[in-house]
Structure formats: structure tokens, C-alpha cells
Amino acid sequence: MSFLVLIALGALLLWLPISSHGGLAFSEALFTACSAVTVTGLVVVDTGSALTLFGQIVVLVLIHLGGLGLMTFAALTVMALGVRFGLRGQHLVREAMNQTSPGDMLTLVRQVALLAFTLEALGTVLMAVVWVPEMGFWEGLWFSFFHAVSAFNNAGFGLRADSLSAWAGHPLINLVITALFIVGGLGFTVLMDLRRHRRFSALNLHSKLTLSGTAILALGAWLLIMLFEWQNPHTLGSLPTGERPWAAWFTAVTPRTAGFNTVDTAGLIVPSTLLIILLMFIGAGSNSTASGIKVSTFMVILLATRSFLLGRPQPSAFRRTVALDVVFRANSVVVLSLMMVLLGTFLLVVFEPRLQLLDLVFEGFSAFGTVGLSRGITGELSLPGQMVLMVLMFTGRIGPLALAFSLARPRRRRVRYVEELVQVG
Amino acid sequence: MSFLVLIALGALLLWLPISSHGGLAFSEALFTACSAVTVTGLVVVDTGSALTLFGQIVVLVLIHLGGLGLMTFAALTVMALGVRFGLRGQHLVREAMNQTSPGDMLTLVRQVALLAFTLEALGTVLMAVVWVPEMGFWEGLWFSFFHAVSAFNNAGFGLRADSLSAWAGHPLINLVITALFIVGGLGFTVLMDLRRHRRFSALNLHSKLTLSGTAILALGAWLLIMLFEWQNPHTLGSLPTGERPWAAWFTAVTPRTAGFNTVDTAGLIVPSTLLIILLMFIGAGSNSTASGIKVSTFMVILLATRSFLLGRPQPSAFRRTVALDVVFRANSVVVLSLMMVLLGTFLLVVFEPRLQLLDLVFEGFSAFGTVGLSRGITGELSLPGQMVLMVLMFTGRIGPLALAFSLARPRRRRVRYVEELVQVG
Ligand SMILES: [K+]
Ligand SMILES: [K+]
């Protein structure tokens, strides 16, 4: 609910003449506000050139409230789950969060906010080293601050139409931006766990799965993108050989919800595009600013498949067994998420018969995963198409969380009908 | 295992010079045998013109063994499940099958075989009324018999390169063929249940869900195909107005595993194509000759989503509650099936960079669902591409069944590690 209010308020502010050069249509302002609050980053107007400084500040505040606000909302949710999980569940959730009582809630929110501001400030200073000399003091500082906030919150909003393509081969910018959005995308439970236990072996299973999954996905995607795109003249092939690994790395990690790009997304060949669609669907960590099914869900499904193929009764990893409830919940998250994103994508295809299928599917998954990568068609969409994207961004942002919450709710057993088996598969 | 032997034997027979005009490459013979045994119907050589009568008979025998053989294998599987389900499960499975003891097994297999032959004979006679006058006695009778067997087994093999397009608007051919493959696709548990209880209200939940799901999918798809294709000059638009509903009906029900076509599949617009891909993924009834996730699985997922959105503890339909195990198993079937088909499709895209994405995705889902519809690229595939399709047909045919079997197996609880929760979604 608070999200809807925030979007409406943001849309009104962006609609004001003071926010843009020449004024926005209300639908443009609404789309921009929705994209900012859901930290997606899809745009119908160019943030850097069409919005004034005031408009850009509005976007940044919306990103912060949408991103950080969601993290604290997630904290609330998880705390609520802890209370409702029953005794055994409470113990496990508490362990997962290193929390001793719901009274620590406020402390937790403060810690999250403090961590966010610290990392954003650090990122701003590091990037200012590059951008202040290039653009002058105030301009360079604003550019650095805007991108640091946008990166840590995985918002994907940039100030240039071609995102960060000008620095495709710049080591420092690549490192700082990807570090910010990868850390921001781990999720606060993992961050808190890392704060407490510095050694990997001391972490809880959720943190281990999220961290190892993040590493596997990032490295695997890096290798595949280099393999697919090395010679492609529209993407890596246009860069000096030494810069290609940097651009491939950026392309490999940005789909997991960040949404910046350093090479032309529309220039990628089909296999890379499909890989990126999968990565966008997976997203990053639970309780982060990421949408999608989440890395931990993906890892649980991989583990369950492995244990199934090996004929083992339950999946296990890192000398811990994954509870079967978790496997079932993971499957439900995948199936419900797929139903949402496929329905939305189908409507996009029906509403936009003139646009390419691959571009529309990409756009739909990008919106649902609140990623913000685009093959360049966002601005060409009709009003119904834009509305589908807004609904996808919103449900993508809220859906999985609400779903996880609801599935964890103890079910009132008031079965009135006789239970019966149905053959499936 | 027996499937692999059957495919190898069939490939050798089709490879013989006596089977074809001018001889087949071994890979062509293997692909044809695999397609026939898995009752898919994708072809790299035209069955009607490239194969001799002997070759066509080999294909028909393979279809019958693959189709009917699978149905009896399915019977064995379900019986085995009944034994392993434990007391409560046994009761439910027995009820679902109207079986009183595993000793009735042989009777059941006989009943299935008898039903198949009866319906195939009936279909042959009805279609011969049309085709004997058109083609002469022996030619017309063979044509009728071949199509009746192919239809009831949902094999999709035809004797003309354009399948049944010549009879796109013929009421009798449309009715007989679609009736044969819809009834053949219900699955033998439903057929046996129907034989016993003639009234809908007396059927078990599995039969009710399969029948209502089949009706909903068929009517829904019929309306959507008419909506999307009515004016399309490549499909319905080329037919007289009175014939269009017939062709739309055929197009709407064939993706659920039959695989014949009366309009040009490659001429369908994108929304229809996506709808057909979904229908191919769903397939028809459990324990039928269909692959895909099955209608009952689809219905369970719809019911679970509804109960989730309404905040109800468990899905229910027709005054019966669906067991939660079933919901979880349905989700697992969907997730594992998706992983298989998406991996295969991704490999197709990598191996065939010159072909269209939509065509490849369509071909991958058609193979996995053992449907046999094609947008015309089967013959253009490279050898690696053909091998991917063969693996997809085989896993599509065997996978879900083996999966259902394995998931229903009581899990040996030999948990050595501590259980831990993981946040998903
Ligand atoms: K984003
Ligand atoms: K078929």
C-alpha cells in the first residue's frame, strides 16, 4: 500500500514543470515514478537530459525510499514470520537473522540504513576520483553520488542515455559499480550474518547458498558472455581486447537486478540474450532490493534436482539438510512467478504486434525482475503496453515477498471436504 | 530401457532399402524411429512420399508399441505406486483406478488394448466413407487406418507433407480425427473411470479435473485462435468463412499432443504461436500417450493459485480437497519439466544460429511435448540440433512419468545433517 502512495506522490512531483525541461505527460511521470520506487530503471524519458536537477533528486529520493524502504519492510516481514513460524521456525529464523528478540528490530533497521549510507558514501568518493576531473567538481560529484545510490539500491537509473557505455573498459568504475550492486543485492540478512561471522564456514545455510550461488552465477555468466560475444562487432568485438573482459563481467552481473549497461543490450546475440533473461528471472538475494525468484530459491531448486537425480531423500549442502518445506516453497515461488511474468509478456505481445518478440519478452522479464535492462523499446510502447510493464514492475517487486509471507503463514486447517489424490505429471 | 531397444530396432528396419524409396541416411532412420516410438510426429523425411508401404507399416507398428506400450507401462507404474503409497495412498490410488487388486492388472491391460483397437477400427470405417471414394479402395482404406491409429495414439504422423490441410473444412474428418485424439489423450485411468461410472458426478476427482481441464483448454483455445487468426490470410483467412471455425477448432486441440495440422503452422501470428507453445507444454491426460506436464497438473496449479489468492488453506474443487502433497508434486513436475525443455531449447538456439528463435522454441516445446507440430525447420536442423530434439522427445516421453514415479516413492529418512531453513522468494 505504502508503495502505491509513494508512486502516486512521486508521479505528481515529477509532473510539476519544475521537474523537467518542457514538462512530462502524466503517463510519463507515472511510469518514471513507478520505475524508481520499484528500483527497476526502465525509462520512457531520459533521466539525464529530460529531467532537471530537481527531477533527478526526486528520482533519487524515490529510489532510496523504494529500495531501502523495502529492505526494512523485508525486515519487518521476516520478523513477523519468526513470530508466526512456531517454536521451531522461530528458532531457525532467529538463527538466520542473528536476532535475539523482536525488540532488536529498530537496531536492525538502523544498522541497515547505516550500512547503506556508508557504502554509498564510499562509492561516491571512489568514483569522484574519476568523474570530478572529467566533469568538474559539482557535476562530477553529483554524477558519482547519483550512480552510487542507484547502484547500491540496484535501481539502474543513470544520467546518460547510453548508461555507462563510455566507461565500458574503465577498471575502477567497473569495480566500484559492480561491487556496490552485488553487495547491495545480497540482502540484509546475509549482510548482517557476514558482519557477525567473518568466516564463511560460520555463516548460516541461507548466507552460504546466497554467496555461493552469487559466485557461481556471476562466474558462469562471465565465461558464457565472453564465449558468445567476444567477436560480436556490436558488443565486445568493438572494444580493445584488454577491455573486453571488463565489459563481459559487467554484462554478466548487471542482469541480476542492477540494470546499468556498458555495451548495447540490443546488440547481444540471441544465446546471450536468453542467458540474460534467465539471470533477470533469478535476480539476486532475498530481502535485497532485487526482485525475481532470488538466488537462494534457484540454489534450492538446483540442489533438489541433484538430490532427485541421485535418488537421495532430501537435498543437502554444506553439511546441512534443506527442509522439504523449503523445496516445496521454492517450487511454488518459481511457478507463481512464471505465471505472472508469462501472462504479462503475453499481453505485451498482443498489445504490441509491431515490435519484435525477443525484445518484448526481454522487456517483460526485465520489468518483472525490476532489472531495467532494455533492448530499446521502452519508449516505443503504447499506453496499454506501458501499463502492463508498470503492473509487472509492481507485482515483481511486491509479489514474491507477499508470496513468501503468505506461504509461510500457518494454514488454518478447516478442511471440510474429503482429501483426494490427483495424478500429476 | 525397452524404449531404447524399440527405437534402435525401428531405426535398423527403416534403414533397410526396402523401407524407403532411395534409402535413408542412418541419422534419418534413427530420427524417424525415435519420433514414432515417442509418438511425436516430427519428421526429417516425408512419411507419405519417401517411405514405402513397408516403411509406413514399420512406423505404424512403432507408434502402436510406443503409444499403447506406454499406456500399459503407465498402468504398471500406477499399480506399483499403489503398493508403495502406504495404506492411505493405496486406498486412494485404487479408488482412482477402480481397481480392487493388483491381480486385475492383466484384465486392465486387455481392456486398454481392446478399447484402443475398437476405437481405431471405428475411426477407420468412418473416415473410409470419405477417403475410399476419393482415393480408391485399398489406398483409401490404408490412408484411413493409418490416420486412425496415428490419431488415437496422438502420434501426429500423416501421409502427406501438408498433413490434413486438404480437409481443413471437412466436418466428418475434423470430428473423427479430433475425437480420436482427444479420447486417446484422456489417459486410461479416466477412460476406465468413465466406463464404470457414466455420470460425471460419480467420477473421481482426477477424472473430473482432467475432463473439465480438457474442456476449458479446448474451448478457451478455440475462441482465442478464432480471435487471433480469423483475418490472417496465411491461416483461417484463406478459407471460406464457414470452414474457419472447423480449422480453428482443429488448431486449438491439436497442440495438446496430437500434432496433425490443417492450417500452415508457420503462418500463425505470434500470439497464437505462444498460446500453442503453452498448450504443447501442458499436453493432455496423465497415463495417456501425451507428454507435457498434463492437464491434471495444470488444473492443480490453477486451483492452488486460486486458493492462494483467496487465502484458503488448501485448494478444493468439486467438493473435494486436493491433498497438499499433490500441489507440491505438481509444482515439482512443472519446474523439472521447464528445466529440461529450456535447456534443450537453449542448446538448439546455440547450435542453429541461422534459424529464427521463435521457430526453435516452438520446435523444442513440440519435441518435449511429443506433439510433432513444426514451423517447418525440422528438416533444416544440423545433426547436433537433431540429436537435441531426439533427447527432448525421449526425456519428454519418459521424464515426467519417471519423475512422478520417483516423487511418489516413500523417501528413506536417513537424514544425517541438521535441517535448516532457507529464505526463498
Ligand atoms: K534495477
Ligand atoms: K504427437
Side-chain angles (χ1 to χ4, degrees):
Chain A
M1 271 308 109
S2 54
F3 271 82
L4 286 176
V5 175
L6 205 57
I7 292 171
L9 212 67
L12 287 175
L13 282 173
L14 289 172
W15 198 29
L16 294 177
I18 189 182
S19 291
S20 61
H21 304 294
L24 299 180
F26 184 71
S27 68
E28 292 171 332
L30 185 64
F31 192 91
T32 307
C34 184
S35 183
V37 170
T38 61
V39 291
T40 304
L42 289 172
V43 287
V44 288
V45 294
D46 181 40
T47 318
S49 63
L51 297 187
T52 58
L53 183 63
F54 178 80
Q56 293 174 9
I57 292 173
V58 169
V59 166
L60 212 58
V61 171
L62 291 178
I63 288 173
H64 230 147
L65 291 177
L68 201 64
L70 200 93
M71 273 184 135
T72 53
F73 173 70
L76 276 162
T77 308
V78 174
M79 294 310 297
L81 289 189
V83 176
R84 292 176 180 221
F85 248 136
L87 208 63
R88 174 167 153 282
Q90 234 183 79
H91 170 71
L92 289 165
V93 169
R94 217 174 263 163
E95 190 186 296
M97 297 191 44
N98 299 318
Q99 282 303 119
T100 41
S101 85
D104 290 345
M105 187 59 217
L106 203 66
T107 321
L108 195 86
V109 173
R110 268 204 217 104
Q111 287 180 333
V112 171
L114 190 68
L115 183 74
F117 285 119
T118 311
L119 289 174
E120 284 166 8
L122 190 67
T124 306
V125 171
L126 285 171
M127 293 191 291
V129 171
V130 177
W131 282 333
V132 162
E134 274 187 36
M135 307 179 190
F137 187 74
W138 289 112
E139 175 84 13
L141 197 64
W142 173 241
F143 205 82
S144 305
F145 181 65
F146 189 96
H147 282 89
V149 172
S150 186
F152 183 76
N153 287 286
N154 280 280
F157 274 89
L159 291 174
R160 296 216 175 165
D162 65 352
S163 191
L164 296 167
S165 300
W167 300 274
H170 197 297
L172 184 69
I173 297 298
N174 269 293
L175 278 178
V176 174
I177 292 273
T178 58
L180 277 174
F181 67 60
I182 289 174
V183 172
L186 288 176
F188 83 101
T189 24
V190 175
L191 293 177
M192 290 297 129
D193 198 22
L194 276 172
R195 244 179 68 101
R196 198 99 149 210
H197 310 283
R198 304 289 161 119
R199 284 177 309 116
F200 184 79
S201 61
L203 298 175
N204 61 47
L205 183 60
H206 176 74
S207 304
K208 283 176 179 166
L209 286 180
T210 301
L211 288 170
S212 57
T214 300
I216 291 168
L217 287 170
L219 296 177
W222 191 19
L223 289 177
L224 284 175
I225 294 287
M226 282 201 279
L227 182 71
F228 291 144
E229 300 291 332
W230 195 264
Q231 307 278 9
N232 183 349
H234 303 293
T235 58
L236 299 188
S238 68
L239 298 170
T241 311
E243 297 190 357
R244 290 182 199 177
W246 286 112
W249 168 253
F250 200 97
T251 307
V253 290
T254 189
R256 296 180 42 263
T257 219
F260 294 117
N261 60 292
T262 59
V263 299
D264 179 19
T265 310
L268 296 164
I269 66 170
V270 177
S272 318
T273 309
L274 296 179
L275 175 68
I276 289 175
I277 289 175
L278 173 68
L279 293 170
M280 294 198 296
F281 184 66
I282 295 172
S286 300
N287 305 316
S288 75
T289 54
S291 298
I293 60 167
K294 308 297 179 324
V295 171
S296 53
T297 311
F298 177 71
M299 291 299 282
V300 166
I301 280 169
L302 281 194
L303 291 172
T305 309
R306 191 188 63 172
S307 74
F308 165 69
L309 293 176
L310 294 177
R312 290 191 191 146
Q314 261 182 295
S316 58
F318 302 113
R319 298 177 174 277
R320 286 284 184 283
T321 300
V322 179
L324 275 185
D325 305 6
V326 172
V327 176
F328 293 141
R329 231 182 312 148
N331 283 338
S332 304
V333 167
V334 171
V335 169
L336 271 161
S337 301
L338 260 182
M339 285 171 69
M340 288 192 233
V341 67
L342 290 182
L343 185 64
T345 305
F346 183 74
L347 289 176
L348 270 187
V349 172
V350 171
F351 289 147
E352 311 287 349
R354 286 161 303 98
L355 297 175
Q356 285 288 312
L357 173 68
L358 184 61
D359 296 349
L360 291 168
V361 172
F362 193 91
E363 197 85 4
F365 276 81
S366 179
F368 182 76
T370 66
V371 177
L373 291 172
S374 173
R375 289 171 64 86
I377 60 163
T378 322
E380 295 174 43
L381 295 175
S382 64
L383 205 58
Q386 287 188 19
M387 281 168 62
V388 169
L389 280 196
M390 281 194 266
V391 173
L392 274 177
M393 289 191 256
F394 192 76
T395 53
R397 197 83 197 84
I398 297 297
L401 259 184
L403 177 61
F405 181 70
S406 168
L407 286 172
R409 206 167 46 185
R411 308 187 169 266
R412 291 149 295 156
R413 296 267 173 195
R414 31 144 221 176
V415 182
R416 283 173 307 180
Y417 300 132
V418 178
E419 239 184 47
E420 199 171 328
L421 285 183
V422 175
Q423 298 174 45
V424 296
Chain B
M1 269 307 108
S2 55
F3 271 83
L4 285 177
V5 175
L6 206 57
I7 292 171
L9 212 67
L12 287 174
L13 283 173
L14 289 172
W15 198 30
L16 296 176
I18 188 183
S19 291
S20 61
H21 304 293
L24 300 179
F26 184 71
S27 68
E28 291 171 332
L30 186 64
F31 192 91
T32 307
C34 185
S35 184
V37 170
T38 61
V39 291
T40 303
L42 289 172
V43 287
V44 288
V45 294
D46 181 41
T47 319
S49 63
L51 297 187
T52 59
L53 183 63
F54 178 80
Q56 294 173 10
I57 292 174
V58 170
V59 166
L60 212 57
V61 171
L62 291 179
I63 288 172
H64 229 147
L65 290 177
L68 200 64
L70 200 93
M71 273 184 136
T72 53
F73 173 71
L76 277 163
T77 308
V78 173
M79 294 310 297
L81 289 190
V83 176
R84 293 178 181 221
F85 248 135
L87 208 62
R88 173 168 154 281
Q90 234 181 79
H91 170 70
L92 288 166
V93 168
R94 218 174 263 164
E95 191 186 295
M97 298 192 42
N98 300 317
Q99 280 304 119
T100 40
S101 84
D104 291 344
M105 188 60 216
L106 203 66
T107 321
L108 195 86
V109 173
R110 270 204 216 102
Q111 286 181 334
V112 171
L114 189 68
L115 183 75
F117 285 120
T118 311
L119 288 174
E120 284 166 7
L122 189 67
T124 306
V125 171
L126 284 172
M127 292 190 291
V129 171
V130 178
W131 283 332
V132 163
E134 273 187 37
M135 307 179 190
F137 186 75
W138 290 112
E139 175 83 13
L141 196 65
W142 172 242
F143 205 82
S144 304
F145 180 65
F146 190 94
H147 282 88
V149 172
S150 187
F152 183 76
N153 288 286
N154 279 281
F157 274 89
L159 291 174
R160 298 217 173 162
D162 65 352
S163 192
L164 296 168
S165 300
W167 300 273
H170 197 297
L172 185 70
I173 298 297
N174 270 292
L175 278 178
V176 174
I177 292 272
T178 58
L180 277 174
F181 67 60
I182 289 174
V183 171
L186 287 177
F188 82 101
T189 26
V190 175
L191 292 177
M192 290 299 130
D193 198 22
L194 276 172
R195 244 179 68 102
R196 205 97 146 209
H197 309 284
R198 304 288 160 119
R199 285 178 308 117
F200 184 80
S201 61
L203 298 175
N204 62 47
L205 183 59
H206 177 73
S207 304
K208 282 177 181 166
L209 286 180
T210 301
L211 289 170
S212 57
T214 300
I216 290 168
L217 287 170
L219 296 178
W222 192 18
L223 289 178
L224 285 174
I225 294 288
M226 281 201 279
L227 183 71
F228 291 144
E229 300 291 334
W230 196 264
Q231 306 279 9
N232 183 349
H234 303 293
T235 59
L236 298 189
S238 68
L239 299 170
T241 310
E243 298 190 359
R244 291 182 198 177
W246 287 111
W249 167 254
F250 201 97
T251 307
V253 289
T254 190
R256 297 180 41 264
T257 219
F260 294 116
N261 58 293
T262 59
V263 300
D264 179 19
T265 310
L268 297 164
I269 66 170
V270 177
S272 318
T273 309
L274 296 180
L275 175 68
I276 289 175
I277 289 174
L278 175 68
L279 292 170
M280 294 197 297
F281 184 67
I282 294 172
S286 299
N287 306 317
S288 75
T289 54
S291 298
I293 59 168
K294 309 296 179 326
V295 172
S296 53
T297 311
F298 177 70
M299 290 300 281
V300 166
I301 281 169
L302 281 194
L303 291 172
T305 309
R306 191 189 61 172
S307 75
F308 164 70
L309 293 176
L310 294 177
R312 290 193 190 145
Q314 263 181 296
S316 59
F318 302 114
R319 298 175 173 277
R320 285 285 184 285
T321 300
V322 179
L324 275 185
D325 305 7
V326 171
V327 176
F328 293 142
R329 230 183 313 148
N331 283 338
S332 304
V333 167
V334 172
V335 169
L336 272 160
S337 301
L338 260 183
M339 285 171 69
M340 288 193 233
V341 67
L342 290 183
L343 185 64
T345 305
F346 183 75
L347 290 176
L348 270 187
V349 172
V350 171
F351 290 146
E352 311 288 347
R354 285 161 303 98
L355 295 176
Q356 285 288 311
L357 174 68
L358 183 61
D359 296 349
L360 290 168
V361 172
F362 193 91
E363 196 85 5
F365 275 82
S366 179
F368 182 76
T370 66
V371 177
L373 290 172
S374 173
R375 289 171 65 86
I377 60 165
T378 322
E380 295 175 42
L381 295 175
S382 63
L383 206 58
Q386 287 188 18
M387 282 169 61
V388 169
L389 280 196
M390 281 194 266
V391 172
L392 274 177
M393 289 191 258
F394 192 76
T395 52
R397 197 83 197 84
I398 297 297
L401 259 185
L403 177 62
F405 181 69
S406 168
L407 285 173
R409 208 166 44 184
R411 309 187 168 266
R412 292 148 294 158
R413 297 266 174 196
R414 32 146 220 176
V415 182
R416 282 174 308 181
Y417 300 130
V418 178
E419 239 185 47
E420 199 171 329
L421 284 183
V422 175
Q423 297 173 44
V424 296

